[in-house]
Amino acid sequence: MKGGKAAGAGPAARPPTAEAGTGKVKVEFRRDMGLLDIVMIGIGAMIGAGIFVLGGIASGLAGPACILAFLFNGLINIITGMTYAELGSAYPEAGGGYLWVKKGLPPPFGFVSGWISWFGHTVACSLYALGFGTYLAWLLQQYGLDPFPPGLFLSTDKILAVLIALALLYVNYRGTGTTGRSEIAFTMSKLVLLGLFIALGGVAMAHNPAAVDNLFGDFFPGGGGGILFAMALTLIAFQGYEVIAQTGEEVRDPKRNIPKAIFASLITVTAIYILMVVVLFGIVTPDMMAQAGVSSPSVYLGTAGASGELALIDVAKAAIGPVGIGVILLGGLLSTLSALNATIFSSSRVSFAMGRDGTLPAYLGELHQKRRTPHNAISASGLILVLMIVLFPIQTVAGAADVMFLVLFAITNAAGIALRYRMPGLERGFKVPLFPLLPVLGVLFNVILIYPLYLIEPLAVYIGVIWILFGGYVHYFTGARKEILETPVTIPEAAPIAEEKRARYRVLVPVALAEHRWLAEFGAAVAKERGGDLSLLKVVEIPPGTPTSAIHYRDVSDQIQAVERLEAAARDLEVDVDARLLISHEVSRTIVETARGEDADLTVLGWTGRTRVGAIMGTNLDRIVNELPGEVVMFRSDGERPPAREVTVLVSQGRHALAAAELAADYARHHRSRARLLLVSVTGEPTSVESARLAELERVFSTREVPVSRKVLRSLDFVAGVLAETAGDELLFLGAAEVRTFGRTLFGYLPDRVIRGARCPVVLVRKVAGGEGPAGRGPAAPAASG
């Protein structure tokens, strides 16, 4: 025993507490995202078309001083990021800057910030889609492919951009967007590819005698104006850290993790951008410039690859070769694709939040009845996204997004100042230093950058002004200010199990369906026999793009009632039950983390026998079984059955088989059932080792005063013999294999085949190494029968 966690001596040792009859199901939301998750979301949203498509254009505008442009942009965004860190740690809610401005500034500013945030994120989506289309069109051209007939009013890159945008809009509409784990994988892949390009570029620079002269020979070819132009154009490359704040309601320990994630993502991305610019200038050789008919690396980068849009590909091709092309091409496609998906996620959240509180038409705040996605908000964002792709060139699209974020960041800094004065006692996980100097500088810097952007892309500024004016019309003349009638009911964050309950043996039963009463009763029977508690868990999975705060009690009322019925059935066995319904974006991770958080000794999983292509027993089940701590039971049954009058235990060596026998003995003792030990032998006679094992398992049952018999089955085919012999049995128990071999298995090659092929209910048991649970204790010793 460890950590003071004790089990009772039997069912009479621990009577139910007064809490046992309350019948209350706790409805909670699960904070799914940790620090790494949100850092990757921020970096993934930032690294997109900003560097891959605009990097060459900006280098042409500022020359090597583009290094300073990215550095200054990074510093300005770190100042604004401080405001986001302070407010995000104080108000960890979906909606981000829009909600803060609404709280801190007079009413028109709240609407304006939300309106331009929605448009800014949506136009950023258009930019990423265009970046993807540009890179994919180039790839197709290298093979002489043009999938679209000539004479269309759209170019190939724009058609591809529209198609990828529609595809990801549909993915988000269905609610099958990327989760935290896949976002981490995407972003890590991007970082590896960019790191590889920087490394390959460093090698190429070492062999380029003109590298130092390229970087420092004419550092300011565009003067100070060139730096400002490059800063204004590439500000969109830093858009993304505000997405971290928008996920605040799903972040664990948001007061600490949101500030850390914002600064970590901004510093990482700024360093990567600077290194990318250094490499771009350092690998341009005199021969490359001579072939292009130019004498300056700045001119070369600004005119290479369709006026700079494909500069990275052209430079990588000439200086590094096929490997460089592959790295940049794959990195560009992957970066723009993942940034597009992440930004669709954030743009729909802003318009959804505005629809929920009546700032925009209420239909934008509605969830799809079946999929629980903000389908109207996604559709509205998609319309704007596609129109921007079709109507404007990529540089204008980038400029329009830049205008929106410059205004948004200026207003958010102002809101941060106002809220510090209005609510000085508000608990903040981070406070902006040198207040109010830094937020004031944030306002000024963001406003100042609008002017150079107007000089190089006046149409982008006009688009921004038109959008704001249109927003005023929508807000004041379409009845959009009518607040949505049904506001969300606050659901508390998942609370830990009380320490006095954690000290007892605990059985966790995740239930998928209301019909799984047999699963709850099985868990309750084991908990009672082992002097422990039962924890019933129902996880309601919602799509990645749907905020947890959007879920109402009415959305989960049927499932609450189902869990209450299961809880009542378990309480009939006089065992303490904690019933919880968790709202989460990922079922498998929630179950695993709940088992760890509750220090569960035994987790009982139900399986109906159905599986999906590519999975062993099911996508979620496979993940859960592989990651769960403690003892794991897979209970396969095709529906409700009465308690077994006789249980069959498959005899084998090892700790898993012993755990299966102990579990079968507890079950049989509870239901006053008989037990039968089944040994499969090639000869039909047990060996000395097998005879010793039979005797050991018989003692397990006799200790619990369960009648037990034995049968030795002669069979050359283990699995076929077991399946035939147990076809009419009421319940079969077996242990996992001691060593999992023969490719992809969950419990071992033979046990997996048995549970899949059996024609009776099966309980398959896996014991943790050492025979102890997560807190270092096994089941209680059985009490003497009364």
Side-chain angles (χ1 to χ4, degrees):
M1 191 149 53
K2 183 179 176 183
K5 189 158 183 177
R14 259 182 61 269
T17 65
E19 185 181 301
T22 60
K24 297 291 186 183
V25 175
K26 300 173 186 174
V27 182
E28 305 162 340
F29 71 78
R30 183 81 183 178
R31 292 188 180 269
D32 294 310
M33 297 184 182
L35 178 60
L36 180 61
D37 295 307
I38 54 176
V39 168
M40 292 296 106
I41 285 175
I43 293 175
M46 281 190 269
I47 299 178
I51 185 64
F52 285 95
V53 176
L54 302 179
I57 301 172
S59 297
L61 290 170
C66 189
I67 295 171
L68 295 180
F70 278 112
L71 175 62
F72 293 157
N73 258 344
L75 293 174
I76 291 172
N77 279 279
I78 285 175
I79 291 173
T80 301
M82 289 180 182
T83 297
Y84 272 85
E86 176 174 322
L87 298 180
S89 66
Y91 299 102
E93 307 169 50
Y98 156 66
L99 294 179
W100 310 331
V101 175
K102 193 177 175 184
K103 287 179 169 69
L105 298 178
F109 287 99
F111 167 76
V112 169
S113 67
W115 183 250
I116 62 179
S117 176
W118 178 30
F119 188 64
H121 284 96
T122 305
V123 177
C125 291
S126 304
L127 174 64
Y128 301 143
L130 283 166
F132 181 90
T134 299
Y135 270 54
L136 185 56
W138 182 91
L139 177 62
L140 294 175
Q141 288 171 4
Q142 303 312 299
Y143 292 95
L145 299 175
D146 191 348
F148 310 108
L152 295 178
F153 73 99
L154 286 179
S155 58
T156 298
D157 58 333
K158 289 208 167 197
I159 295 174
L160 292 171
V162 170
L163 291 177
I164 192 61
L166 292 175
L168 288 184
L169 285 165
Y170 180 68
V171 166
N172 280 268
Y173 172 83
R174 286 184 56 86
T176 53
T178 56
T179 60
R181 295 184 184 188
S182 54
E183 189 65 43
I184 290 174
F186 268 121
T187 304
M188 291 300 294
S189 300
K190 290 197 289 188
L191 292 176
V192 168
L193 289 168
L194 289 173
L196 182 58
F197 174 74
I198 291 169
L200 292 172
V203 174
M205 284 177 63
H207 293 85
N208 180 15
V212 175
D213 188 58
N214 287 349
L215 285 166
F216 302 108
D218 186 10
F219 193 73
F220 295 101
I227 295 176
L228 288 175
F229 293 150
M231 287 176 65
L233 183 65
T234 59
L235 177 102
I236 189 64
F238 293 86
Q239 175 274 323
Y241 62 88
E242 78 285 351
V243 177
I244 294 171
Q246 290 180 14
T247 62
E249 66 182 12
E250 293 150 38
V251 177
R252 294 190 290 271
D253 194 5
K255 292 190 182 301
R256 295 181 58 191
N257 285 335
I258 287 179
K260 287 181 180 179
I262 288 175
F263 298 134
S265 59
L266 276 170
I267 292 170
T268 300
V269 167
T270 302
I272 288 173
Y273 289 164
I274 291 173
L275 290 173
M276 291 281 286
V277 174
V278 170
V279 167
L280 274 179
F281 279 92
I283 63 178
V284 176
T285 64
D287 290 341
M288 292 163 60
M289 290 186 284
Q291 290 177 8
V294 298
S295 58
S296 164
S298 304
V299 177
Y300 179 84
L301 291 171
T303 57
S307 301
E309 293 172 13
L310 290 168
L312 270 70
I313 290 181
D314 280 13
V315 173
K317 178 181 179 181
I320 303 176
V323 175
I325 297 174
V327 169
I328 283 297
L329 189 63
L330 183 57
L333 291 172
L334 187 63
S335 296
T336 51
L337 187 66
S338 64
L340 172 58
N341 186 70
T343 313
I344 288 174
F345 165 90
S346 59
S347 67
S348 61
R349 282 202 166 194
V350 174
S351 54
F352 175 79
M354 296 177 74
R356 295 299 281 190
D357 65 15
T359 313
L360 283 178
Y363 69 85
L364 290 174
E366 294 175 358
L367 289 179
H368 192 282
Q369 189 171 2
K370 178 181 177 182
R371 304 188 188 282
R372 294 196 181 99
T373 56
H375 58 300
N376 291 332
I378 292 171
S379 299
S381 298
L383 177 62
I384 299 169
L385 192 166
V386 171
L387 284 175
M388 292 296 295
I389 292 173
V390 171
L391 295 178
F392 302 106
I394 192 168
Q395 197 162 329
T396 301
V397 172
D402 285 329
V403 170
M404 293 294 100
F405 284 109
L406 286 169
V407 176
L408 174 64
F409 292 162
I411 295 175
T412 303
N413 276 299
I417 296 171
L419 284 170
R420 179 78 74 90
Y421 285 122
R422 288 180 58 185
M423 301 180 181
L426 182 67
E427 185 180 356
R428 295 166 166 87
F430 171 85
K431 283 190 175 183
V432 179
L434 301 178
F435 183 86
L437 175 62
L438 289 182
V440 169
L441 289 176
V443 173
L444 293 175
F445 288 146
N446 282 291
V447 171
I448 289 170
L449 283 176
I450 296 175
Y451 180 66
L453 184 61
Y454 171 76
L455 294 179
I456 58 173
E457 278 297 327
L459 180 58
V461 178
Y462 296 146
I463 291 171
V465 172
I466 292 170
W467 178 256
I468 293 173
L469 293 175
F470 177 58
Y473 168 77
V474 170
H475 183 59
Y476 288 107
F477 299 104
T478 64
R481 287 185 294 172
K482 181 181 178 182
E483 188 169 356
I484 195 166
L485 294 178
E486 185 177 21
T487 54
V489 177
T490 301
I491 298 176
E493 182 180 350
I497 296 294
E499 282 302 318
E500 62 270 17
K501 290 193 173 185
R502 287 170 61 90
R504 297 197 290 265
Y505 189 89
R506 178 163 290 272
V507 179
L508 173 66
V509 180
V511 289
L513 301 172
E515 294 78 16
H516 285 180
R517 176 169 173 159
W518 48 273
L519 201 62
E521 290 179 341
F522 178 85
V526 174
K528 182 174 182 179
E529 289 300 316
R530 297 187 172 185
D533 295 338
L534 174 66
S535 181
L536 289 176
L537 173 65
K538 168 64 180 175
V539 182
V540 176
E541 187 173 33
I542 58 175
T546 303
T548 52
S549 60
I551 303 301
H552 300 266
Y553 277 122
R554 64 169 176 81
D555 296 322
V556 293
S557 60
D558 291 344
Q559 293 165 74
I560 293 173
Q561 293 172 12
V563 176
E564 286 175 343
R565 290 194 295 271
L566 294 177
E567 181 191 25
R571 288 189 189 280
D572 287 342
L573 300 179
E574 297 182 345
V575 63
D576 278 0
V577 183
D578 287 299
R580 315 173 95 190
L581 187 143
L582 292 182
I583 298 169
S584 169
H585 290 292
E586 192 172 354
V587 170
S588 57
R589 178 187 287 193
T590 299
I591 291 174
V592 171
E593 292 185 356
T594 301
R596 289 174 177 158
E598 295 189 359
D599 206 9
D601 300 274
L602 174 68
T603 303
V604 182
L605 302 171
W607 184 45
T608 59
R610 293 186 294 272
T611 188
R612 290 184 177 181
V613 176
I616 302 173
M617 293 182 183
T619 306
N620 283 327
L621 282 176
D622 291 359
R623 291 177 183 169
I624 294 166
V625 170
N626 282 320
E627 297 179 20
L628 268 177
E631 191 172 341
V632 179
V633 168
M634 180 72 77
F635 192 158
R636 178 193 168 178
S637 178
D638 55 4
E640 200 70 34
R641 291 172 180 263
R645 292 164 297 178
E646 181 179 76
V647 299
T648 301
V649 179
L650 193 58
V651 178
S652 61
Q653 301 297 322
R655 66 186 188 278
H656 304 300
L658 179 60
E662 291 172 343
L663 194 64
D666 288 335
Y667 176 89
R669 181 178 186 273
H670 181 82
H671 292 291
R672 302 182 184 277
S673 308
R674 304 182 305 276
R676 179 177 71 132
L677 300 178
L678 176 63
L679 173 67
V680 180
S681 170
V682 174
T683 63
E685 293 293 332
T687 64
S688 59
V689 173
E690 291 170 338
S691 295
R693 185 60 162 180
L694 281 167
E696 180 185 13
L697 298 186
E698 284 175 338
R699 286 193 295 273
V700 170
F701 288 92
S702 61
T703 301
R704 291 165 172 81
E705 299 184 358
V706 175
V708 61
S709 61
R710 64 165 69 177
K711 177 172 182 178
V712 179
L713 174 67
R714 185 176 183 275
S715 177
L716 298 177
D717 186 326
F718 178 87
V719 174
V722 170
L723 297 183
E725 174 66 24
T726 60
D729 286 5
E730 296 179 73
L731 187 58
L732 171 65
F733 285 79
L734 71 153
E738 291 301 305
V739 179
R740 290 189 293 172
T741 56
F742 300 100
R744 295 176 65 244
T745 65
L746 279 184
F747 295 93
Y749 178 67
L750 295 179
D752 280 7
R753 287 182 62 196
V754 170
I755 195 171
R756 282 200 298 262
R759 285 172 282 176
C760 68
V762 180
V763 174
L764 180 50
V765 184
R766 187 200 70 194
K767 188 76 171 177
V768 295
E772 295 289 337
R777 77 272 166 196
S785 173

